[in-house]
Amino acid sequence: MWLNLGAPATMWYLCSILYVFVSIVDAEDPYRFFTWNVTYGNIYPLGVRQQGILINGQFPGPDIESVTNDNLIINVFNSLPEPFLISWNGVQQRKNSYQDGVYGTTCPIPPGKNYTYTLQVKDQIGSFFYFPSLAFHKAAGGFGGIRILSRPLIPVPFPEPSGDYTVLIGDWYKTDHNKLKAVLDGGHRLAFPDGILINGRGPNGASFTVEPGKTYRLRISNVGLQNTLNFRIQGHNMLLVEVEGTHTLQTTLSSLDIHVGQSYSVLVTADQSPQDYYIAVSTRFTSRVLNSTATLHYSNSAKPVSGQPPSAPTTLDWSLNQARSIRTNLTASGPRPNPQGSYHYGLINITRTIRLANSAALVNGKQRYAVNSVSFVPADTPLKLADYFKIGGVFTVGSIPDSPTGAKVYLDTSVMGADYRAFVEVVFENRESIVQSWHLDGYSFFVVGMDGGRWSASSRQQYNLRDAVSRCTTQVYPRSWTAVYIPLDNVGMWNLRSEFWARQYLGQQFYLRVYTTSTSIRDEYPIPTNALLCGRAQGRTP
């Protein structure tokens, strides 16, 4: 029998039924909620008491575990006596650079206040990490692992492992991070680090338990400040399966070079006699070699570690050849069930070539680092907010050239403009004697080539235009170049930076403004209603 509810009630009833139906057939992606309290606390990673940054009392911080397309609601309470920001290394923040957590896009969380990050791991899988992006806080901790699992119905190109471990490695100073910051603020270079940490512990401090005969996934991230690290396990091979969200051709490795800011996944099978084995980590390309160890512990171990930890490779060519061998598995599904589809980066015409050269110089008697002769200085207002509110005088689009000019290093708030949906070639040129590492927020890029010497147009003849690995952080070897292709399909203000953290702090970074005149939410989300406002944006209405 039809109920006579009246016109307004009938309309409400029909709308309610429609809402329920739409919700069922097009359910919103799941939400995961996190509440973090950021504090200082005493830590002893190298046997000396230090002031470390803890998240919910933990050093390193807790892992974030999620599934493709999950919405992550992370409420961060800043209990430090100074402003604080967290950034999400490798999370692309699709259409949403406001949540990126670097000062060019986001106001810091004031002391005693909180901010809720709302981010979606849209169309991503893989292994990443988070870290504090302000005030050289990264030298005090505050970092942790991020894992984005595939959706249940999408096949993964290897059997599900028996366990999944986050392994955070990095060089470390015994000196308080405020003192390190003061050295840099005074215009000086930092001394060489004091040691290497594995999951926040010094030599022989960390342990990973495995069951005999079972296979485990290790998600290894170099969260350190400057040095490439080599990772190996005594008596065991590693099977490389994923790099920063890309399933790779599965390659058996005895050791792996992990450059600062990079993340890798390997599978390790406990197929040796039941005892404990060294996990060894050491610096590469340094005159003084730092070493550290952890333990791979068999659950039925009959004896402790013995012998010497396995040695690392010693040549640069070994590392270069390994990097070139890391390629995309074209038959594997990624976040979606179509492995490659109709799109292929090697068939797209390049619309622009950008060449970026790193350099070091003294400016006004103080140490600075630069990209194409421009050493970045932060503005008084986050650039993304200045852009949104149309606040003039904060930055100038085009304040960094597309190619090295050979000019003396100078200071500026450097922003490079780029068109939405352009397809660009970026060549990182390293004319110094160090290993450099570069990261771009908001994107993954195809690493199409790397070699020694100077790049030229003829270098394109050696590009890999078939199965280059797609990732967000790439190395550039001494006096060498690395070329990447980037489809600029993510509107926003994105930080492109050196992962050599003292260099980033002293200017080796800039912002890429990927712009469209469209104001549609199909292209970019609106400013968050809870956005923190500071500088010249303070007091304005989002």
Side-chain angles (χ1 to χ4, degrees):
M1 182 176 66
W2 182 261
L3 296 178
N4 184 8
L5 301 176
T10 300
M11 183 60 68
W12 176 87
Y13 178 80
L14 292 175
C15 288
S16 298
I17 294 296
L18 180 62
Y19 175 81
V20 171
F21 175 76
V22 170
S23 299
I24 291 172
V25 299
D26 189 23
E28 192 171 8
D29 292 307
Y31 282 76
R32 295 177 186 256
F33 295 89
F34 305 83
T35 300
W36 288 356
N37 186 32
V38 180
T39 62
Y40 281 130
N42 290 330
I43 58 174
Y44 302 81
L46 294 178
V48 176
R49 186 176 69 177
Q50 294 179 254
Q51 184 185 67
I53 293 177
L54 313 180
I55 298 178
N56 292 349
Q58 299 179 44
F59 171 76
D63 279 354
I64 293 176
E65 183 167 313
S66 59
V67 176
T68 300
N69 292 349
D70 280 356
N71 296 282
L72 308 182
I73 312 301
I74 307 172
N75 191 4
V76 178
F77 288 82
N78 178 19
S79 297
L80 305 182
E82 69 248 27
F84 184 76
L85 267 180
I86 288 183
S87 190
W88 321 91
N89 210 71
V91 177
Q92 292 179 11
Q93 313 287 1
R94 302 296 301 176
K95 306 188 293 184
N96 200 15
S97 62
Y98 294 104
Q99 303 288 353
D100 201 30
V102 290
Y103 183 66
T105 62
T106 312
C107 289
I109 307 170
K113 302 294 184 180
N114 72 298
Y115 177 72
T116 301
Y117 290 90
T118 302
L119 47 119
Q120 185 181 29
V121 289
K122 179 69 174 172
D123 289 336
Q124 286 193 266
I125 59 165
S127 309
F128 309 98
F129 65 92
Y130 61 85
F131 69 96
S133 61
L134 284 183
F136 222 64
H137 283 145
K138 193 180 182 187
F143 42 73
I146 301 173
R147 61 183 69 169
I148 307 174
L149 307 177
S150 294
R151 287 177 289 177
L153 296 180
I154 296 181
V156 174
F158 49 85
E160 183 175 355
S162 298
D164 197 329
Y165 284 114
T166 294
V167 186
L168 304 176
I169 61 176
D171 49 14
W172 188 261
Y173 288 89
K174 295 178 181 178
T175 305
D176 180 86
H177 77 280
N178 285 312
K179 294 180 180 178
L180 297 175
K181 177 178 175 293
V183 171
L184 295 173
D185 290 340
H188 304 289
R189 300 186 183 208
L190 295 182
F192 192 67
D194 297 304
I196 295 171
L197 303 190
I198 303 173
N199 280 1
R201 298 173 181 264
N204 304 313
S207 181
F208 303 87
T209 299
V210 295
E211 298 284 337
K214 294 185 178 180
T215 298
Y216 295 81
R217 183 173 184 169
L218 306 184
R219 300 174 186 263
I220 313 163
S221 295
N222 185 339
V223 298
L225 298 172
Q226 67 184 61
N227 286 299
T228 298
L229 299 176
N230 182 268
F231 184 93
R232 53 216 183 267
I233 303 176
Q234 183 184 29
H236 293 74
N237 286 323
M238 301 175 288
L239 187 68
L240 179 66
V241 294
E242 178 253 331
V243 173
E244 293 163 16
T246 298
H247 290 307
T248 63
L249 291 180
Q250 296 180 11
T251 308
T252 300
L253 306 173
S254 58
S255 67
L256 176 62
D257 273 356
I258 304 174
H259 304 273
V260 63
Q262 292 185 337
S263 298
Y264 290 83
S265 277
V266 299
L267 299 180
V268 177
T269 300
D271 56 4
Q272 302 298 306
S273 59
Q275 63 176 72
D276 291 352
Y277 296 88
Y278 282 113
I279 296 173
V281 180
S282 57
T283 56
R284 292 274 273 133
F285 320 117
T286 55
S287 56
R288 174 188 163 200
V289 177
L290 296 175
N291 295 284
S292 191
T293 56
T295 301
L296 185 73
H297 171 69
Y298 278 58
S299 60
N300 62 340
S301 174
K303 62 184 287 193
V305 291
S306 60
Q308 293 296 316
S311 58
T314 58
T315 66
L316 187 148
D317 283 347
W318 183 94
S319 187
L320 176 61
N321 289 332
Q322 181 178 82
R324 286 171 168 164
S325 74
I326 298 172
R327 296 180 291 158
T328 296
N329 183 347
L330 297 180
T331 66
S333 295
R336 296 174 181 269
N338 52 327
Q340 189 66 44
S342 60
Y343 170 85
H344 193 282
Y345 72 93
L347 301 177
I348 310 298
N349 291 328
I350 296 299
T351 58
R352 180 180 176 187
T353 295
I354 300 167
R355 294 168 48 218
L356 303 174
N358 49 278
S359 59
L362 295 179
V363 179
N364 300 324
K366 291 188 175 183
Q367 183 65 53
R368 297 293 300 186
Y369 300 95
V371 186
N372 287 358
S373 299
V374 188
S375 185
F376 184 86
V377 288
D380 60 7
T381 304
L383 310 182
K384 183 61 180 173
L385 296 182
D387 212 11
Y388 174 80
F389 290 113
K390 295 180 172 55
I391 303 170
V394 176
F395 68 90
T396 301
V397 177
S399 48
I400 178 172
D402 277 21
S403 300
T405 63
K408 288 186 177 181
V409 171
Y410 61 96
L411 307 180
D412 202 350
T413 303
S414 38
V415 176
M416 181 179 289
D419 294 331
Y420 179 43
R421 292 181 178 160
F423 191 77
V424 301
E425 173 188 43
V426 176
V427 182
F428 297 101
E429 301 180 2
N430 182 9
R431 300 172 185 176
E432 300 180 78
S433 59
I434 64 165
V435 176
Q436 183 60 283
S437 186
W438 291 98
H439 174 88
L440 175 60
D441 283 348
Y443 287 93
S444 285
F445 44 67
F446 299 97
V447 184
V448 295
M450 58 177 64
D451 204 355
R454 293 290 183 101
W455 180 89
S456 68
S458 63
S459 302
R460 296 187 179 113
Q461 297 174 12
Q462 60 177 282
Y463 283 5
N464 177 359
L465 298 183
R466 181 178 181 272
D467 58 358
V469 70
S470 177
R471 63 186 316 167
C472 58
T473 308
T474 188
Q475 71 272 30
V476 192
Y477 292 101
R479 307 195 186 284
S480 301
W481 57 267
T482 294
V484 305
Y485 281 178
I486 313 174
L488 296 179
D489 59 354
N490 196 12
V491 174
M493 187 79 70
W494 303 108
N495 189 224
L496 196 159
R497 61 177 177 265
S498 170
E499 290 286 86
F500 191 136
W501 211 241
R503 285 177 164 245
Q504 176 274 154
Y505 183 82
L506 292 181
Q508 209 156 77
Q509 61 171 305
F510 66 92
Y511 282 82
L512 187 69
R513 179 181 183 254
V514 181
Y515 180 73
T516 176
T517 56
S518 168
T519 57
S520 170
I521 61 171
R522 291 176 301 177
D523 298 320
E524 185 176 26
Y525 294 139
I527 186 172
T529 55
N530 69 332
L532 297 173
L533 302 179
C534 56
R536 284 185 261 174
Q538 195 161 16
R540 297 178 184 248
T541 303

